[in-house]
Amino acid sequence: MFAERLERARKAAGLSMSALASEVGLSANAIKKYEHGTTMPSSSNLLKLAKALDVRSEYFFRPTKVKLEGVEYRKRASTPKKVLDRINGDVLDQAERWQELLELYPDSVKPIPEFALPDELPEQIFSLEQAEDLAIQMRHAWELGLNPIHDMIDTLEAKGVMIITTDVETDKKFDGLAGKIGSTPVVVISTAQSGDRQRFTLAHELGHLVVHGRLAEGIDEEKACNAFAGAFLLPTQSLIEHLGEKRRHIEPRELLMLKHEYGISMLAALFRAGQCGIITPATQKNLFMLFSKNGWRTEEPGKAYPHESTYLHKQLVYRALGEEYIGESKAAELLGMSVSSFRKERKLEVPTQAQLAQEASRAAAAN
Ligand SMILES: [Zn+2]
């Protein structure tokens, strides 16, 4: 157990064996032996390793029971293997803390719902338009109507999708990944991405859960998931209500307003306008060219759409503490915090993540 977890923590920290060795004052060979399970470190070396890898020493002895299966990465360009290793390590660590938390709840209490798709979905879809229709059917089944979805994370969590956010520095090359832990779907998004991009990833991954196994031959799943995501975030009917049925040209400012109302990038909104036949392919192409010329494909103009955050894990840790399923030290461990900083947080002596996020968005709005 120790050997495997040391290797994972090392990769998650982005360190080679020799880099870790020099940080803790051991030989690379010693690290290699630990990772091969041929020797065990002394307790003082164990503490040094934990410190260097920024984990608590309990981490090394937590039984590895979480397996993230069926992983699909969403990435902008080719994400370096080293970065993927770090993300993987971070995600597994968080997923384990999730799993452990859920197991600490008594069987009679179900803190999160089981994910299930509505029964009435069609068995097979034959076109991208039908993938869009599926998005609308999901909205109806989940009673979301056709209005903007203010909180995608909350919406998915309420239906039993586990959302994990990772801070691993990715240079914006990584959008997210999805997989399953047991029967629970898990979606991972990067905190480095803009809010609209995070939301598109969340909707795209929901698309995979919905369309998977329903696509007729020849329909590309990635394209279907993008069509699903676009329609889920910004339904055709809502788009037509805003832009009109047919347009000769669209002002970029209109796209910016759509972005802020529906939490979808200007580029994706423009794409939707073409998809829905509001503008001709030629007009769409001209606008795409305008986006390229102005560098808006890399960074969109105007105020950014705010990031989304997940609070569910923390909420459930506090709930478990409140119900005395766990004590303070376990709560701190589940949150990956030291007991002393957890105590401060518990006594409301430090601002919560929600307050910090609120402050940040207030500051951004003031700029
Ligand atoms: Zn995908």
Side-chain angles (χ1 to χ4, degrees):
M1 179 202 306
F2 173 78
E4 193 188 317
R5 296 190 67 86
L6 174 64
E7 183 182 356
R8 194 211 282 176
R10 176 177 61 74
K11 286 187 172 168
L15 294 174
S16 65
M17 282 191 195
S18 50
L20 175 60
S22 67
E23 210 158 306
V24 294
L26 291 165
S27 67
N29 199 34
I31 304 291
K32 196 170 164 188
K33 281 184 179 164
Y34 298 156
E35 288 190 9
H36 286 180
T38 42
T39 57
M40 278 294 285
S42 65
S43 54
S44 67
N45 283 340
L46 186 72
L47 288 175
K48 281 187 205 161
L49 288 167
K51 195 158 175 259
L53 296 170
D54 197 24
V55 295
R56 294 164 58 124
S57 42
E58 295 99 307
Y59 171 89
F60 295 120
F61 303 100
R62 205 188 286 154
T64 45
K65 52 195 166 184
V66 170
K67 247 206 181 112
L68 194 55
E69 288 166 308
V71 172
E72 190 239 335
Y73 288 96
R74 240 172 86 67
K75 49 202 171 181
R76 211 172 250 210
S78 59
T79 315
K81 167 110 179 26
K82 214 173 155 185
V83 172
L84 290 182
D85 278 346
R86 296 195 60 174
I87 293 168
N88 202 39
D90 181 38
V91 169
L92 283 178
D93 179 43
Q94 293 193 53
E96 278 167 11
R97 287 192 263 127
W98 248 120
Q99 184 94 342
E100 191 178 353
L101 171 63
L102 295 179
E103 283 168 6
L104 288 164
Y105 271 77
D107 288 340
S108 56
V109 180
K110 292 262 171 285
I112 58 170
E114 201 157 312
F115 180 80
L117 288 172
D119 297 328
E120 62 270 28
L121 300 178
E123 268 176 39
Q124 243 197 341
I125 61 166
F126 301 91
S127 67
L128 295 181
E129 289 73 46
Q130 283 180 308
E132 290 180 38
D133 293 344
L134 266 183
I136 303 306
Q137 287 170 46
M138 286 301 289
R139 272 179 162 265
H140 288 317
W142 286 2
E143 296 176 344
L144 298 169
L146 293 172
N147 294 324
I149 297 169
H150 288 294
D151 192 332
M152 273 295 287
I153 289 187
D154 211 37
T155 302
L156 294 186
E157 283 179 338
K159 298 297 174 190
V161 180
M162 187 183 284
I163 312 291
I164 291 177
T165 58
T166 179
D167 306 321
V168 169
E169 187 48 63
T170 58
D171 217 12
K172 296 202 172 173
K173 279 188 176 142
F174 164 83
D175 274 313
L177 66 87
K180 281 194 169 186
I181 295 175
S183 61
T184 306
V186 180
V187 179
V188 179
I189 54 171
S190 163
T191 52
Q193 296 293 1
S194 59
D196 52 286
R197 219 174 154 93
Q198 291 179 324
R199 289 164 58 88
F200 199 87
T201 296
L202 291 164
H204 174 99
E205 298 304 342
L206 173 64
H208 277 293
L209 292 171
V210 177
V211 307
H212 193 75
R214 286 179 214 278
L215 293 173
E217 215 171 312
I219 308 280
D220 181 73
E221 184 157 336
E222 287 312 302
K223 282 188 185 152
C225 290
N226 286 338
F228 177 95
F232 192 78
L233 291 171
L234 178 51
T236 305
Q237 202 183 316
S238 317
L239 187 60
I240 289 175
E241 276 165 23
H242 281 72
L243 295 180
E245 249 171 75
K246 293 278 178 222
R247 294 285 303 272
R248 286 191 297 144
H249 175 71
I250 296 174
E251 284 291 322
R253 173 64 65 170
E254 292 179 90
L255 299 173
L256 181 62
M257 287 189 279
L258 278 173
K259 172 176 179 164
H260 282 283
E261 192 174 347
Y262 284 88
I264 186 168
S265 69
M266 290 168 69
L267 198 67
L270 172 57
F271 194 76
R272 289 283 295 137
Q275 250 174 349
C276 302
I278 296 172
I279 47 173
T280 63
T283 306
Q284 192 189 38
K285 199 176 155 209
N286 285 338
L287 281 160
F288 277 141
M289 273 159 59
L290 178 76
F291 268 69
S292 299
K293 197 181 105 212
N294 292 341
W296 293 348
R297 276 168 176 264
T298 333
E299 197 174 341
E300 296 200 340
K303 207 174 87 186
Y305 191 85
H307 284 103
E308 290 208 353
S309 308
T310 168
Y311 305 107
L312 186 59
H313 182 259
K314 184 166 265 192
Q315 281 163 5
L316 293 179
V317 168
Y318 272 98
R319 176 168 156 192
L321 185 68
E323 293 301 300
E324 296 181 341
Y325 304 147
I326 58 173
E328 237 178 12
S329 141
K330 180 53 89 182
E333 190 193 328
L334 290 169
L335 292 172
M337 297 171 80
S338 70
V339 178
S340 65
S341 41
F342 177 73
R343 283 207 184 114
K344 277 192 197 139
E345 189 191 272
R346 187 183 184 188
K347 287 192 214 141
L348 309 180
E349 282 172 12
V350 283
T352 61
Q353 278 180 3
Q355 285 164 337
L356 287 174
Q358 236 173 26
E359 262 166 46
S361 69
R362 235 181 272 135
N367 284 332

